Amino acid sequence: MRELKRVLVVGGGVGGLSAALAFAQRGVDVTLIERRGDFDVPGVGLGQPANALRVYDALGVLDEILQCGFIYDHMSIYDADHQLIAHHKFLLGDDRVPAVCALRRSDLHRILLSAAERWGVSVHLGMQVLTLEDGPEDVLVTFSDGTKTTFDLVAGFDGIRSTTRQHVVGTMFQPRHCGIGAWRVQVPRPASVTGMEFMQGLGCKTGAMPIAPDLMYLFNIGPDPVDAVYQRADFPDLMRERLAQFGGYVAEISAQLNQPSDIVYGALEPMLVPWPWHRGRVVIGGDAAHVFPPHLTQGAAMAVEDGFLLAHEMLQTDVSIENRLMRYSQKRYARCAFVYSFARDWLDQEQSIHTPAHMETARREMSLNASNRIGVSDRILNTPIL
């Protein structure tokens, strides 16, 4: 049975870098391509829960991540006036990894990229796949620079607009704007913000996540027209409008938003591709296979788990490569489907609160059940994938 010797990873985000690093550490010759011409990583920050941190530990980069980020073990739910509704201490982590470490997206990317390069991953920027010709023993790849190379496996971690996904499942499964937008801005961290905070308002939710001793990011999740096109110059006013009902430090931050504020906007486009996630020797993972609402902070975590488990399964020799790919898809789909359904239901519930009466009902429900419900998720996601 021919074994994997050469792997192409398409996409240089967190999931793709984790996959490339995991394969390289197992002795595979890995090439990684990224369509962008540089790694000027967009985004604000990422909460990395214990299940992601375990993967980083196995990849040898945990200590660097913990040194860069902000470690916390709890979350709190408030109303728009910052009155506490529910508090939850995470049931995540162990003696080795904390419950959550949040950090700048750029720092996480830098750590993973440096590790991948140290392990010999060949990284090519400004390059895309033009065609994939899948054969019984390998995949012939034509690149955007005109070169052609064969690989034993092509792993598509090329994001929400994945072209690799089109090769695997066509255009049937695509992300679609669900009518909810997310606004984020990086700001100085008030001393009182020591964990994740959610503030439930009428028709939307605001929250905060610490990402460094002196920094956090503030976010708002609420309705946005599907066909909305916003100008960058209008971002401060648009975000202030969405924060208008919230008090406390949110009101103070809102008043200070201006043109230099690094505001990031993105539509929520939840998607979960049914398994199997492969066709021949081409396989997908990360945002190419699943896009979650951000409520469990599991988007990047599921991507790095995908990459790590894919490398583990593909280097087993007990079954054929086809069966290894099927086993990878089956294991990952079940876990990702749980995250998708949990986070999507949470999103739908919070966005249905439109009146003071709705808010009072939600307040009672959350005060009684929110911590127990999140605890169920903690126990499932704290289970090691290997």
Side-chain angles (χ1 to χ4, degrees), residues 24-90:
Q25 290 177 344
R26 289 162 171 80
V28 177
D29 180 5
V30 182
T31 297
L32 182 146
I33 65 168
E34 167 57 45
R35 63 178 178 80
R36 293 174 298 171
D38 57 50
F39 279 129
D40 182 16
V41 179
V44 180
L46 289 171
Q48 297 299 276
N51 54 304
L53 298 177
R54 287 195 183 93
V55 174
Y56 298 138
D57 193 20
L59 295 176
V61 296
L62 177 64
D63 290 343
E64 290 179 82
I65 288 171
L66 297 183
Q67 289 169 9
C68 280
F70 189 99
I71 295 170
Y72 60 91
D73 65 357
H74 64 279
M75 67 167 293
S76 300
I77 301 174
Y78 299 89
D79 65 14
D81 294 322
H82 210 255
Q83 298 299 306
L84 183 65
I85 297 173
H87 179 83
H88 176 71
K89 185 171 182 179
F90 291 118

Side-chain angles (χ1 to χ4, degrees), residues 5-9 16 19-25 27-32 120-123 151:
K5 295 181 179 178
R6 303 189 69 238
V7 170
L8 172 67
V9 176
L21 182 54
F23 274 112
Q25 290 177 344
V28 177
D29 180 5
V30 182
T31 297
L32 182 146
V121 175
S122 179
V123 178
F151 296 90

Side-chain angles (χ1 to χ4, degrees), residues 271-273 277 285-286 289-293 296 298-299 301-303 305-306 328-343 380-381:
M271 175 197 69
L272 180 62
V273 176
W277 289 347
H290 45 71
V291 182
F292 311 111
L296 285 174
Q298 285 288 335
M302 290 295 105
E305 282 191 359
D306 288 349
Y328 155 77
S329 294
Q330 187 173 15
K331 289 181 177 179
R332 294 308 302 151
Y333 182 81
R335 192 163 168 95
C336 291
F338 168 76
V339 173
Y340 181 90
S341 62
F342 193 106
I380 291 172
L381 295 174

